[in-house]
Amino acid sequence: MSDDFKRVESHDCPMSTCAAPAGSPCRTGKNKVAIQYHTARFRLVPQLTKVLSVPTPAVRKPGSLWTELPRPASAGAEPVGHVRLGYARASTARQSLDAQLDSLAEAGVTRVFSEKISTRATRRPELEAAVKLAGEIRSSGVHVTIVVHEHKRLGRGIELATLAEELKASDVGLEFLTGELKGSHDPSGIVFTVLAAMSGMEREYIRDRTLEGHESARKRGKTIGGAGVTDESMLSMALHLREQEMSLRDIAKRVVITTGKKKGQHPSPATVMRMLREHDEHTAVVSAP
């Protein structure tokens, strides 16, 4: 189950018709648990600002009578105590973790998560475990900081920025013992703000470069993905959503492929762009005098 709802529920709902306090799901006008969180609330979470909706998980019993749940210990309360969790990583099995572990020990960190795994790995189990434990400890009312020898051990670019967003949502701090970002960084501080902004900028950059690459390939007569998956029903839905001034990304999330091996999946934004462009070009030719 996704932890998105926990991040959303770390905030009070700003909707006057809901006003659910932190720790509780959103509610409807009939005082039922809403089936999804209000947009104004989940957009308070940086990594959820561009999604269309955040569903209420089954554990909150959507549709049932709404009752207020206990507020998180961290909500509106000063942290009591301070726990520092360490993380160390080497890119290959041959590399030693000794220098990082010694550095963490000298800094007084006693609980350390470590692993030997490539920077390119999509999952890092020990880092995920450290972040999960940090969130659980912080929710109990204790201030938590994840301590790392150097920021590069956490990842580069968008990986580090995405992690920073997640830690900020849980109100967990970061401390780097050396390197360009050496020092302790509070979740509300400038480093977290810059990393979050960098995350959004890099996502948009990757998206734009991908779409530009698809367009360049099309001009050369090449097809990049999505060939043969479009049909009239998809086109009709895409045109309807475009009239509502939705982005390509949001349209792609609403449209469903109805035939072929990818049946039931969503097309890529590039496929939607190509489908709409080809429709517009065809319409222009037909309507030309």
Side-chain angles (χ1 to χ4, degrees):
M1 179 175 61
S2 172
D3 286 337
D4 286 345
F5 80 98
K6 294 180 181 179
R7 300 187 181 96
V8 175
E9 289 185 9
S10 67
H11 302 275
D12 295 337
C13 182
M15 293 282 290
S16 60
T17 54
C18 174
S24 299
C26 285
R27 53 182 163 182
T28 67
K30 296 182 179 180
N31 207 41
K32 301 285 186 179
V33 176
I35 61 173
Q36 62 185 37
Y37 293 94
H38 292 120
T39 303
R41 189 181 191 186
F42 69 70
R43 284 185 173 170
L44 295 174
V45 181
Q47 60 266 52
L48 299 178
T49 55
K50 294 185 179 181
V51 302
L52 296 176
S53 65
V54 176
T56 304
V59 69
R60 293 297 193 236
K61 300 179 180 179
S64 63
L65 182 66
W66 187 91
T67 56
E68 182 175 346
L69 301 178
R71 294 177 66 95
S74 59
E78 288 296 321
V80 178
H82 189 179
V83 172
R84 297 165 80 225
L85 303 177
Y87 175 73
R89 181 186 64 81
S91 298
T92 68
R94 295 180 181 179
Q95 292 180 332
S96 173
L97 290 168
D98 291 348
Q100 295 180 57
L101 296 177
D102 289 345
S103 176
L104 291 169
E106 291 176 5
V109 180
T110 56
R111 177 69 185 275
V112 178
F113 294 80
S114 63
E115 57 193 340
K116 294 186 176 182
I117 191 168
S118 171
T119 305
R120 291 173 291 184
T122 56
R123 288 197 60 207
R124 300 179 194 173
E126 289 300 304
L127 178 57
E128 292 176 4
V131 172
K132 181 179 179 181
L133 178 60
E136 292 174 350
I137 295 175
R138 182 67 190 92
S139 66
S140 69
V142 178
H143 184 70
V144 186
T145 298
I146 291 182
V147 185
V148 189
H149 179 69
E150 187 179 14
H151 71 273
K152 293 179 182 178
R153 297 300 94 203
L154 293 178
R156 302 173 186 271
I158 195 171
E159 294 172 341
L160 179 58
T162 301
L163 175 62
E165 288 185 30
E166 185 174 358
L167 294 178
K168 184 173 184 177
S170 300
D171 197 31
V172 173
L174 266 177
E175 180 180 349
F176 300 112
L177 301 178
T178 188
E180 300 169 355
L181 299 179
K182 180 180 178 180
S184 297
H185 305 289
D186 186 87
S188 61
I190 186 63
V191 168
F192 274 83
T193 301
V194 170
L195 289 174
M198 182 176 71
S199 174
M201 291 171 62
E202 190 157 349
R203 287 194 189 100
E204 290 301 316
Y205 174 77
I206 292 172
R207 172 182 174 275
D208 291 343
R209 294 295 295 172
T210 299
L211 294 179
E212 287 175 6
H214 285 241
E215 177 65 14
S216 178
R218 185 191 71 84
K219 291 179 178 178
R220 291 186 177 89
K222 298 180 180 179
T223 300
I224 307 294
V229 302
T230 61
D231 58 26
E232 289 301 320
S233 61
M234 287 179 59
L235 174 60
S236 178
M237 175 60 75
L239 289 171
H240 171 69
L241 296 175
R242 185 174 67 173
E243 290 177 356
Q244 299 179 31
E245 299 184 350
M246 293 182 65
S247 67
L248 290 172
R249 182 182 299 173
D250 290 340
I251 293 174
K253 290 179 180 179
R254 295 287 190 92
V255 175
V256 178
I257 298 171
T258 58
T259 60
K261 295 181 180 180
K262 295 185 177 181
K263 182 178 180 180
Q265 300 180 28
H266 299 290
S268 67
T271 297
V272 173
M273 180 183 72
R274 185 174 61 253
M275 177 173 62
L276 293 173
R277 184 188 58 242
E278 291 176 350
H279 168 268
D280 293 341
E281 291 175 350
H282 176 73
T283 301
V285 171
V286 172
S287 59

